[in-house]
Amino acid sequence: MATISRPAYVLSAILVFAILTFILLPNFNAEPPSLGTQAKKGRKEYTAPKQNVFAELTAKEAEDVNEFLFEDLAHLNLTKTPKSNRDNFVFYLETLRPNKTDALAYLHGSSEPPQRWAKAILSEYRDDGPYMAHYMVSLPITSKSKTLPLTYVFNSGSNAVRIPTLDFDGLFGVGQSIAANISDITLELLGAEINLEKPEAPDGLLCWPRPAGIERGGQVMWFQIFKPGIASGARTLLPQGIYAKVDANSLFAEEWTVEEYYYNGQLYDTADDFRAAIKKSDFVRAPRNDDGPWTATEDFDSQPDGRELPPPVSVQPYGPRYKLDRKQQFVSWFGFEFFITTAQATGVSLFDVKFKGERVVYELGLQEALSHYAGDDPVQGGLEFLDTFLGMGKLMFELIPGYDCPAYADFLDVQWHQLYETNTLPNSICLFEYTSDSLLSRHTAQYSVTTSRNTYLTLRSTSTVGNYDYTVEYIFYLDGTLEVKVRASGFIFGAFYSANSSKTEDLYGHHVNEGLASSMHDHVINFKADMDVAGTANDMVRLAIEPMTKSYPWDLPEIKQRNTMRLVEYPVTEETFLDWPRNGGEMYIVYNSEEKNSWGERKGYRVVPGTGIASPPHLTIENSTTLGDGARWAEHDLWVLRRKDTEPRSADPLNYFNPHDPIIDFTKMANHESLQHGEEDDDYDGDLTLYLNVGSHHVPHSGDIPNTLMHTSASSVMFIPHNFLDRDASRESVQGVRLQLKGNGASGGFPGDIGDTRPGGDDDDDDNNEDLKARLRRRRRATALDKERRPEAKYFGATYEEGMKLGVEEFEPVLPQQYRSYENRVTDLGFNGSAAGVWFK
């Protein structure tokens, strides 16, 4: 086995960015960004009815907590300038969100907000190595403040997770050393070698470890060589097919050794064995996978017919119809009300979502984003990502007005606190109203036609996690429907296309370029939906649509039995999973246990697959050897659990470090407890939490080169009112028109029109004692008048009637002036993108 020597050069700060950069915090006191100027014209100041008790720490709060921890945890000898994982330091801070029981007491009753706490994650060096440990600190900081181990939100029995290596910053050096030691081989087979002075040189190579769940306690890693692809950013399209297995049993990278090499279906015990094999006449070389125009995502030169003209866009000339309190991050729109908050690991979450004054969802937010691959090489064969480990909130970069969101959208900044600094991500969330190209409803009667526009509100963010951009949307519809939707775009994580005789990569994907194959993988993205349908006392039922044969007395004697169908309700009586039913043969409904509408029906919300390309999937791989117990929530579509303050999440970013004994084990949460409230010796009150998955079974094909497209990768779940109100709520707020066609006014006329025979119409007068002949004469007169008049239209809701002048920036924003991001980080998918070198600046 070869000992790995570390090259003597300074590690790049960009490539060794941050180990567990998880928590992201909004700037509630920031000035509004200079985007969506037209949308702000004439806007009245709006104030939320309550304080946002879920708001992330302000910069001042974070500063106070950092200073307090140095005093209160003096025995740890914390440092503000860590040099390695041997130092103890405060890694990041965020808000510890209040328990639901306390938050509801304030939001729907008490005048005093709940006690505010900060969560502090510290890097601690202990006798057996480095740990990441969680603490809670009471706010505001006073002489009475205290620091406690944060344990109650984890079911592992500990507030800390051991880091499997002391030297994550050394991973980059190890990879470069591997490539340098076989530079003659890489030059022979790949036509390139490592550039130790400029490791990201476009004509050089890089060597990275497989960023998968750490097996055998993190003691074995496979490294793969890539070309930088720095010009296009297409590194994950440029694997080079040479792999090295490293024994990483030691905490110290300089003690790691290379165990074997792999190339084109063959294993070699040493580099010399590899060199000797190349010289043999029967050695088979794989095609090279070189960068080129094929990885470029843009074509600036082509001009097919029509490209010389800009496409249609949406405008908002009269300003927004929603109300936004920027300081409290509170939104109100046509009956919907909700708070916004963010976290570095998981991005945007919503709290206290109400419709028509009644709470529907207490909490709706991302928990984890998993991608799990399959393949025939040492990297693809065990590749998986848990993206909150990389920080889906911290990687919410600035949105582009006019492209990511309409030019008139409101854009919100986000902050996060790490290593004693507050960082701002400008314009990383957008809020806007939009009108679909399809109607909400329409109907044509004999003499009239009615149409209603489908207008909805969208809250959107995009997280760039290495090779993928995930766009997360919360969409609100006028009828009370709420949708959570995820779209993906970006470069696939490709596999090297070998030239060996077995060609087993054909089992896992397609040949998509000269030296590149695609790798099938599952995207399973988990969301928490703490349902509170008209209150916390809820029941979950499966309302099945089933065939049956039944005899009806009115059919006899002609038909003895009729084949038909019926509804059968199956209560969900214990914590369990549900998969989307075959043929859509069941409805999953969350009912309020006590509240009913005017017709005696229980108030409910139905949970259904949304507007994506297919039913959202769950993980195909069974009992993943890589994931262990780190993501059991991914094995089914939907989970129904008791809500508990001690189970606020289905996953934790630190599960990545120890998936076989995770700090949050979902199997301990979904443990078949009873969901039947009101039973003796049980204090369960009916408060349900759903954990549901969106995503896709992704089999990349040639159309995914160079980028996967968002419209073919969208997936969503919708929450739809089910007897929640007495009628369709959108009737009150929708915009539309009723067009009265030329013809008999007795059919489909407007209330009060001559000839209107509907209740309340002109012919429905209880005090009118006209005889039949008089009524017929009135009808004939009305018909004659109807033949003479032209079709009429009546609008419900406002119409555009005043002239307006819009600047060109409302159609095409001047991006060099309006796009103000200063972020220039390069995200990667190795430990260096999340777990290494946090002490480097």
Side-chain angles (χ1 to χ4, degrees), residues 368-422:
E368 185 57 272
L370 161 70
S371 52
H372 202 321
Y373 288 70
D376 72 337
D377 66 54
V379 167
Q380 298 294 330
L383 187 65
E384 53 84 16
F385 297 107
L386 296 171
D387 285 335
T388 65
F389 176 76
L390 297 161
M392 290 193 68
K394 181 177 178 293
L395 298 173
M396 287 166 43
F397 295 120
E398 182 168 4
L399 299 168
I400 302 175
Y403 292 85
D404 282 308
C405 314
Y408 57 77
D410 272 293
F411 291 78
L412 309 175
D413 296 350
V414 167
Q415 287 186 333
W416 50 278
H417 310 297
Q418 180 181 295
L419 284 176
Y420 313 104
E421 294 182 353
T422 294

Side-chain angles (χ1 to χ4, degrees), residues 463-477:
S463 300
T464 303
V465 187
N467 56 320
Y468 271 126
D469 288 51
Y470 294 100
T471 294
V472 179
E473 299 173 336
Y474 300 101
I475 307 171
F476 304 84
Y477 296 88

Side-chain angles (χ1 to χ4, degrees), residues 507-543:
L507 296 173
Y508 306 104
H510 302 293
H511 191 190
V512 293
N513 203 62
E514 180 66 22
L516 184 69
S518 69
S519 287
M520 64 185 298
H521 55 281
D522 284 350
H523 290 283
V524 188
I525 303 166
N526 190 241
F527 283 84
K528 176 183 180 180
D530 181 350
M531 303 298 294
D532 276 5
V533 179
T536 56
N538 287 175
D539 293 309
M540 184 81 178
V541 304
R542 296 163 39 226
L543 186 61

